[in-house]
Each structure stands twice: as C-alpha cells, then as structure tokens.
Amino acid sequence: RLAQVSDAAVAAGDERLDVRARVLLLHAYLWGGEDWKALAPFAWCLARLEERPDLFDQPEIDHLRWCYKSALEVVARNPGVTLEQVRELEAAMEAFYRSQGASMHSVHGTLFNVERSLGRPDLAAAQLAAWRATPPDESSDCAACDPEQEVLQALSEHDDARALAVGVPVLRAGA
C-alpha cells in the first residue's frame, strides 16, 4: 500500500507525501522480513535528502540514520556486491553519521557485523574495539541489543563464560 501511496504522490506532484511514503516503506520492508527490498527506497531517500533536504523532517532523517545500519548489513550479505561497493557504502555511512553530528558507536557496531559476515575476524575485532571506545547515542541499539556485539565476539573466540557473563544479565533484566 505504501508503494501505491508513493506512486499516487508522484502522480499528484506531492513531493513531501512521496518522501513520507518511501520512508515508511523503507521501515516496513526492514521490519517486515524483506530487508533486501528496503534498499531501493533507502537509496532513493538518501539521494532525495541530498537534493532536497527541505522535504525531510528531523524524525525522518533520524530514521534514515537508524536504517543505514540494516541497509549496510543487507548489502554486505549479498554475494553479488563487491567488497569495493561495500567499502564505498561504509564510507558513505560514516560521512552521513558525521554530517548529522552522531556518534560513531553505531557505525563501528555495524562494521563489526559487516566484517563478521565477510569472514574477516581480525577486522571485526578491531571494529568491536572502536565500538567499545565510542559513546552510544540515540542511533545506538537498545541496552538489550547492544551487548549482542560482545556475545557474538565471545562466541567466535570460544569464550562461552564471557558470552554468558554478558548475555545472562540482559536476559534476566527482560524476565
């Protein structure tokens, strides 16, 4: 339905409604189990934001910053995307976060996941160290999700005790 709203907005010449529909469509794809479909509206929104920032309100820009994490991870999992293309998107994500005055915490957390998916454990460990060294902000994952980075690293190092030490308190807090 959101794609239909976007098409209707384009037909009516309502650029603001088109932006709103595509941001919502991006969200729907990411949270609806079809994250790979989110890449088209995500790329469109970034390009449109660069051309016409006046069409976006701050919550939509914040949402795009949040979605960058998922989009980059989706791209990195696609074997049809070259390493060079992944690196270009990483650089674009970092530049976008910096332009918004955001912490690099989420960038390093995302790059940790990207390096893990690319089978580069040394680079993943370096990103995790950078993640630890940067303060979280509103773009960071939730307090229950953030420790996942530490658990994944501990498991990859076969350090089950550390994985449990980090993960169990989070699970207990949610009980």
Side-chain angles (χ1 to χ4, degrees):
R1 299 275 182 226
L2 291 168
Q4 292 172 332
V5 170
S6 174
D7 290 343
V10 169
D14 189 335
E15 294 177 278
R16 176 70 187 112
L17 179 59
D18 189 22
V19 164
R20 188 165 184 82
R22 290 185 199 233
V23 169
L24 292 171
L25 182 61
L26 163 63
H27 181 82
Y29 284 144
L30 287 176
W31 293 101
E34 297 182 299
D35 52 3
W36 59 274
K37 286 185 177 180
L39 297 178
F42 178 70
W44 183 92
C45 286
L46 288 180
R48 197 68 179 135
L49 178 61
E50 190 172 314
E51 295 167 6
R52 292 282 312 275
D54 59 298
L55 293 174
F56 291 78
D57 62 23
Q58 192 59 50
E60 290 165 338
I61 295 169
D62 294 343
H63 189 64
L64 290 177
R65 190 173 58 250
W66 181 269
C67 290
Y68 230 123
K69 299 182 288 185
S70 298
L72 180 53
E73 290 179 24
V74 168
V75 167
R77 288 192 312 259
N78 183 335
V81 176
T82 67
L83 182 58
E84 180 180 289
Q85 290 169 313
V86 172
R87 297 300 186 227
E88 288 173 10
L89 189 55
E90 289 172 351
M93 178 186 186
E94 183 176 338
F96 187 75
Y97 268 65
R98 288 189 190 285
S99 75
Q100 299 297 311
S103 168
M104 293 294 104
H105 186 77
S106 290
V107 173
H108 293 302
T110 301
L111 298 183
F112 166 75
N113 290 326
V114 166
E115 296 302 345
R116 287 184 68 253
S117 72
L118 294 174
R120 297 167 178 252
D122 292 346
L123 294 176
Q127 288 298 336
L128 186 62
W131 173 82
R132 287 181 188 127
T134 54
D137 65 5
E138 66 277 353
S139 298
S140 299
D141 289 336
C142 71
C145 297
D146 241 3
E148 181 181 12
Q149 316 289 27
E150 297 286 356
V151 171
L152 289 171
Q153 185 65 20
L155 291 174
S156 73
E157 295 169 353
H158 306 288
D159 188 344
D160 297 342
R162 192 171 93 228
L164 288 170
V166 172
V168 169
V170 174
L171 296 173
R172 283 194 179 133

